[in-house]
Amino acid sequence: MHLRPASYFVLASLLDGPLHGYAISARAEQLSGGDVRLTAGTLYGALERMARQGLVQMDREETVDGRLRRYYRLSDQGRDAVMSEADRLAAAARVVKRPRPAPIRSAV
Amino acid sequence: MKPRLRDRLTSIAARTFPRSHRGDARVVRDCARDAVDARGPRALARESLAIAGAGLRVRLAMDTRDVRGAPWRPALAALTLPLAAALLCVWTFGFLPLYDHWPLGEGWALLLSGSVLALIGAAFAARWVVLLGAAAMFVAAGAPYVGYGTEKALSGTPTFFPGSGVDLGAASLIPALLLAVGALSLPRRPQRSLRTVLDRLLLGLLPTAVALVHLLPREAPQPTTSFVYDELPARGSSVAKPEVVFGPPYEFPQLTASKPLLTALGIALLVAVVLSWRASRTRPEAALATALVLVSVAWPLAWTMHGYAVWPQIIVPLGVAFALTLRAAHAARRSSGSAELSPEPAASPP
């Protein structure tokens, strides 16, 4: 399963344990070096889609300072998906970074 | 950053979520408030728009699901009788005032027999009879537009519907198709009692009976008047003197725009919209049927409302049909109490 960058970083943000909405958004931004900035509405859509795909699960709900927070955790399938994507990206990066043989020129 | 402004904007944006997703709306709203607190006031507009977008997406997904799951088949079956009755009434209005010719042209024969057949079929809930009647009407009304019967002079065609007012021939094409689809939605083995059939037959004939009361006794047909020019205008005169010839009454059928007919059809549609809107919670299929009929006549209706064009009046029938459809679809979902349409915990927002 290929993951979009936003989905990849959302899943990656949950690797260390359950997080609530804003914490996921902040962690994804941190992990991506500021490339992935998710609003609450966008995150809602992404988490809804990933929950349907079985990649994340709702963990619990808490009210903190009068604000309702819903925590999410990675499912086993989500963990496998983010690991596979990491391997795929690493393999793709290796192709670019390792020394490459000279290109084959066709004899005309 | 004033907390009141933040709270107000995010609350307003969260109202785009449907009522059934209030819990989700609160979670997204509070998440957005966390983000605005952390990122500063510049994030407020972006977060508010994103909340509204998410709410609208949820609403769209729910509406799409409800509309797909709406009772379309019963709705199509329900519209057969009123639509067949309306079409018979229309053809009667066209036939009686102008037709003074026997035998019937093939166009009129098809139109009248087709609409009577469709009405009888709808009363008996006999799908193939309705289908046959609808097909006959569609063929007769559509034939002149593909050239059939127009090889003679335009005024001499067996059926032709002048477009100076509302071209009722063209206007009946989509309703006739809708009637055909409705016929196929009727049950294969309907449970019918003589009482029900008679009631439906009488109800279906009622509009035509009222039309006959309005139309009869008709005036004696007027002879056609022709002006024959034998010579070119005289020198110095711009007008030649024509010879006036009075011929027999105009023998070919026409369906001209009739103000009483259009008014009656408009009132019938309005009554149908109001009644089916009010009854949509208990009878969503009636509201869906009205919406389908509205869409099928949206073009000529808008043309009549405007006078000679369609835009922007077509928004009115289409908008009403859309609202009726949504209301009926939601009502059908609620009445069926389908638990699968309620939000699943796994698909909840942050």
Side-chain angles (χ1 to χ4, degrees):
Chain A
M1 179 191 290
H2 289 261
L3 296 171
R4 292 181 228 180
S7 304
Y8 176 75
F9 283 107
V10 167
L11 291 177
S13 69
L14 292 171
L15 278 170
D16 298 330
L19 291 175
H20 65 83
Y22 176 65
I24 295 173
S25 172
R27 182 80 173 132
E29 186 176 344
Q30 182 195 23
L31 290 176
S32 65
D35 286 345
V36 173
R37 293 193 72 180
L38 295 165
T39 59
T42 316
L43 185 61
Y44 169 82
L47 282 172
E48 190 187 30
R49 191 180 61 252
M50 286 191 278
R52 268 202 311 271
Q53 293 169 340
L55 301 176
V56 297
Q57 291 167 342
M58 195 183 89
D59 190 66
R60 65 186 188 278
E61 282 187 348
E62 279 178 7
T63 303
V64 180
D65 297 333
R67 288 183 183 173
L68 186 60
R69 287 177 171 173
R70 193 172 281 168
Y71 285 75
Y72 279 84
R73 66 170 184 272
L74 266 185
S75 67
D76 292 341
Q77 193 185 337
R79 190 172 296 274
D80 290 346
V82 74
M83 289 301 176
S84 304
E85 184 69 4
D87 290 344
R88 193 182 70 80
L89 291 173
R94 273 198 302 277
V95 170
V96 175
K97 291 193 170 174
R98 75 181 172 200
R100 294 179 298 282
I104 300 165
R105 294 178 191 281
S106 56
V108 179
Chain B
M1 178 77 218
K2 288 183 180 175
R4 280 184 67 182
L5 178 64
R6 176 203 61 201
D7 292 353
R8 190 139 187 112
L9 274 179
T10 50
S11 291
I12 290 170
R15 282 185 199 163
T16 52
F17 278 81
R19 282 183 193 172
S20 56
H21 285 64
R22 269 185 186 156
D24 297 349
R26 192 180 158 205
V27 173
V28 179
R29 183 199 67 190
D30 290 349
C31 176
R33 287 176 182 172
D34 283 342
V36 173
D37 289 348
R39 290 170 181 158
R42 278 192 299 180
L44 179 59
R46 188 164 163 253
E47 290 289 345
S48 301
L49 284 174
I51 296 172
L56 290 175
R57 277 197 300 274
V58 171
R59 213 171 258 277
L60 184 68
M62 275 187 69
D63 289 346
T64 308
R65 206 162 38 189
D66 286 356
V67 169
R68 277 188 188 164
W72 289 109
R73 209 179 166 90
L76 284 163
L79 62 76
T80 50
L81 186 71
L83 197 52
L87 285 168
L88 177 62
C89 181
V90 166
W91 302 132
T92 308
F93 247 91
F95 182 74
L96 274 192
L98 287 169
Y99 199 76
D100 192 35
H101 181 63
W102 193 262
L104 295 178
E106 62 270 31
W108 277 118
L110 274 174
L111 285 173
L112 293 173
S113 60
S115 50
V116 170
L117 207 58
L119 182 65
I120 293 171
F124 280 86
R127 52 190 353 224
W128 294 111
V129 180
V130 181
L131 186 64
L132 198 64
M137 276 188 277
F138 183 79
V139 167
Y145 301 101
V146 289
Y148 177 76
T150 52
E151 67 275 3
K152 291 184 271 179
L154 208 60
S155 60
T157 53
T159 55
F160 189 75
F161 314 99
S164 55
V166 178
D167 190 340
L168 288 167
S172 70
L173 289 175
I174 299 178
L177 270 185
L178 187 61
L179 185 60
V181 178
L184 293 174
S185 305
L186 286 168
R188 284 177 192 277
R189 288 177 187 168
Q191 292 177 341
R192 51 173 95 96
S193 68
L194 185 64
R195 179 67 195 265
T196 314
V197 169
L198 280 176
D199 284 352
R200 288 169 65 85
L201 205 54
L202 285 176
L203 205 63
L205 286 170
L206 193 63
T208 307
V210 174
L212 287 174
V213 170
H214 172 75
L215 294 169
L216 293 174
R218 66 173 199 172
E219 292 174 6
Q222 296 298 310
T224 49
T225 310
S226 307
F227 297 93
V228 180
Y229 295 87
D230 287 335
E231 56 188 27
L232 289 170
R235 187 173 292 234
S237 164
S238 59
V239 182
K241 285 188 177 174
E243 182 190 350
V244 182
V245 179
F246 293 100
Y250 190 67
E251 65 183 14
F252 297 104
Q254 279 190 321
L255 187 52
T256 49
S258 159
K259 208 142 192 151
L261 173 62
L262 293 180
T263 310
L265 289 174
I267 291 172
L269 259 181
L270 193 63
V271 169
V273 166
V274 172
L275 290 182
S276 58
W277 178 273
R278 291 179 64 180
S280 60
R281 287 180 202 282
T282 49
R283 293 203 59 206
E285 69 278 4
L288 291 172
T290 308
L292 284 170
V293 173
L294 258 181
V295 170
S296 76
V297 297
W299 190 276
L301 187 61
W303 181 276
T304 313
M305 288 164 70
H306 188 282
Y308 60 87
V310 166
W311 184 258
Q313 269 74 2
I314 199 164
I315 293 171
V316 176
L318 291 182
V320 172
F322 184 66
L324 266 172
T325 304
L326 282 186
R327 188 175 163 89
H330 293 325
R333 189 243 305 159
R334 275 195 297 269
S335 66
S336 67
S338 49
E340 73 274 8
L341 294 180
S342 60
E344 295 164 19
S348 306

